[in-house]
Amino acid sequence: MTATRLVRTDDAEVLAGLVSRNRAFLAPWDLVRDEEYFTVDGQAQRIERALGEHERGAICPYVILADGGEVVGCITLDGIERGPVQSCHLGYWVDEEHNGRGLATAAVAHMLGVAFDELELHRVQAATLPHNAASQRVLERNGFERIGLARGYLRIAGRWQDHILFQQISGA
């Protein structure tokens, strides 16, 4: 079954290949990216920054692995807040060729374990575009509940777009 693991600097080449190959597929759901993002150097820089933030406890940047151990996507717990909040945001994507196989669902389940069991967080939040039914199903299969609509929440595909907000509370 799918596994996730912490991203490594030697993942830069495979991730550059994935984001390049999936550029058009991911574009409707993603930020507008500069050309550097799609290069090995750009991915290496992104990974180095993410691992630095991970060391400070701000994010958990993981890759999604297919059954054979092949890297097929990314999943991140981001914006980890401590103090009275004890919360984070979840984001993920899977290679188009591997979509619909349950990989994202299994990866989200694993990351909930990281969030609640390892990090001892209270709440995990996720947001999807209203027309991203597949991602909504992934969250709902993992016990997330819809909590509202955020107007103009994130700048995706070059414009401010509404998002449906989801959450899961530890022990819920």
Side-chain angles (χ1 to χ4, degrees), residues 76-78 87-91 112 116 123-127 139 144 147 150 153 164-169:
T76 303
L77 301 175
D78 198 357
S87 182
C88 70
H89 297 270
L90 172 73
L112 287 171
F116 295 138
R123 180 176 179 269
V124 176
Q125 178 177 308
L139 295 171
F144 280 78
I147 58 170
Y153 185 63
I164 297 173
L165 301 180
F166 290 82
Q167 74 175 6
Q168 187 167 146
I169 304 294

Side-chain angles (χ1 to χ4, degrees), residues 30 35 46 59 74 107-108 114 117 124 143 150-151 159 163 168:
D30 201 3
E35 291 303 314
R46 186 188 67 78
I59 68 171
C74 290
V108 168
V114 171
D117 300 334
V124 176
R151 300 263 180 225
R159 61 188 173 90
H163 280 69
Q168 187 167 146

Side-chain angles (χ1 to χ4, degrees), residues 20 23 52 67 107 113 119 131 158 164:
S20 293
R23 189 173 191 164
D67 294 339
L119 300 176
H131 57 281
I164 297 173

Side-chain angles (χ1 to χ4, degrees), residues 81-147:
E81 293 184 57
R82 293 300 185 172
V85 177
Q86 298 294 325
S87 182
C88 70
H89 297 270
L90 172 73
Y92 53 89
W93 62 268
V94 174
D95 174 53
E96 182 176 21
E97 291 179 17
H98 290 86
N99 257 247
R101 299 181 186 180
L103 299 173
T105 300
V108 168
H110 179 258
M111 293 308 285
L112 287 171
V114 171
F116 295 138
D117 300 334
E118 294 178 30
L119 300 176
E120 298 180 345
L121 296 174
H122 172 68
R123 180 176 179 269
V124 176
Q125 178 177 308
T128 71
L129 291 164
H131 57 281
N132 192 345
S135 194
Q136 292 166 30
R137 281 192 302 276
V138 166
L139 295 171
E140 289 166 347
R141 285 183 188 126
N142 276 287
F144 280 78
E145 65 174 322
R146 290 178 191 233
I147 58 170

Side-chain angles (χ1 to χ4, degrees), residues 7-8 11-20 37 43 46-47 63 71 73-74 93:
V7 70
R8 301 184 304 232
D11 291 323
E13 186 171 349
V14 71
L15 287 173
L18 282 170
V19 297
S20 293
Y37 177 82
Q43 286 299 304
R46 186 188 67 78
I47 291 167
V63 291
V71 174
C74 290
W93 62 268

Side-chain angles (χ1 to χ4, degrees), residues 15-87:
L15 287 173
L18 282 170
V19 297
S20 293
R21 187 173 70 238
N22 286 276
R23 189 173 191 164
F25 173 67
L26 295 174
W29 324 108
D30 201 3
L31 312 172
V32 173
R33 306 285 187 173
D34 63 19
E35 291 303 314
E36 181 73 10
Y37 177 82
F38 299 95
T39 68
V40 174
D41 285 344
Q43 286 299 304
Q45 291 171 19
R46 186 188 67 78
I47 291 167
E48 298 256 345
R49 281 190 306 271
L51 290 174
E53 290 296 309
H54 176 67
E55 286 181 21
R56 289 185 284 287
I59 68 171
C60 287
Y62 280 54
V63 291
I64 299 172
L65 305 172
D67 294 339
E70 172 189 11
V71 174
V72 296
C74 290
I75 187 164
T76 303
L77 301 175
D78 198 357
I80 297 171
E81 293 184 57
R82 293 300 185 172
V85 177
Q86 298 294 325
S87 182

